[in-house]
């Protein structure tokens, strides 16, 4: 994937479309420093079933997750499919 910077004017939006021919993890974020404090970042995981074929998670990372009680398989909640039961609540910043 080619990395680019897009200017989004105030009170507007953009639509992102990209073609995935292999798995990828991409971080989209705001370049304004205060943007990160308000959660203006997102991680896109595209074609995870393809990604799993050629990316191996280091055993040390798996061990650290298990020590913290973080599930190491399944979706973001550690479940199968779209079941998000048990997902931690979002962190709200006042």
């Amino acid at each position: 994937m080619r990395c680019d910077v897009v200017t989004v004017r105030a009170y507007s939006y953009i639509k992102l479309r990209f073609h995935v021919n292999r798995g990828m993890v991409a971080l989209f974020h705001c370049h304004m420093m205060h943007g990160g404090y308000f959660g203006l970042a997102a991680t896109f995981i595209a074609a995870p079933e393809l990604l799993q074929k050629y990316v191996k998670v280091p055993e040390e990372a798996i061990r650290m997750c298990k020590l913290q009680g973080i599930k190491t398989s399944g979706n973001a909640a550690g479940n199968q499919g779209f079941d998000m039961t048990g997902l931690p609540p979002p962190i709200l910043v006042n």
Side-chain angles (χ1 to χ4, degrees), residues 2-85:
R2 197 173 89 201
C3 297
D4 290 311
V5 175
V6 177
T7 300
V8 182
R9 299 195 184 281
Y11 306 105
S12 65
Y13 63 94
I14 61 168
K15 291 182 184 180
L16 296 173
R17 294 180 70 188
F18 48 90
H19 174 77
V20 177
N21 57 3
R22 64 184 192 112
M24 70 170 214
V25 177
L27 175 67
F28 289 81
H29 60 97
C30 179
H31 277 219
M32 296 173 62
M33 286 304 289
H34 66 276
Y37 299 122
F38 296 107
L40 299 176
T43 303
F44 292 104
I45 302 174
E49 67 285 354
L50 297 174
L51 190 61
Q52 291 170 354
K53 291 181 181 179
Y54 64 90
V55 174
K56 173 109 173 77
V57 177
E59 288 299 321
E60 181 63 12
I62 293 172
R63 188 179 76 75
M64 292 302 293
C65 287
K66 289 180 178 179
L67 284 172
Q68 298 174 69
I70 300 169
K71 296 178 181 178
T72 58
S73 64
N75 60 22
N79 303 319
Q80 298 301 312
F82 295 106
D83 178 10
M84 294 296 167
T85 305

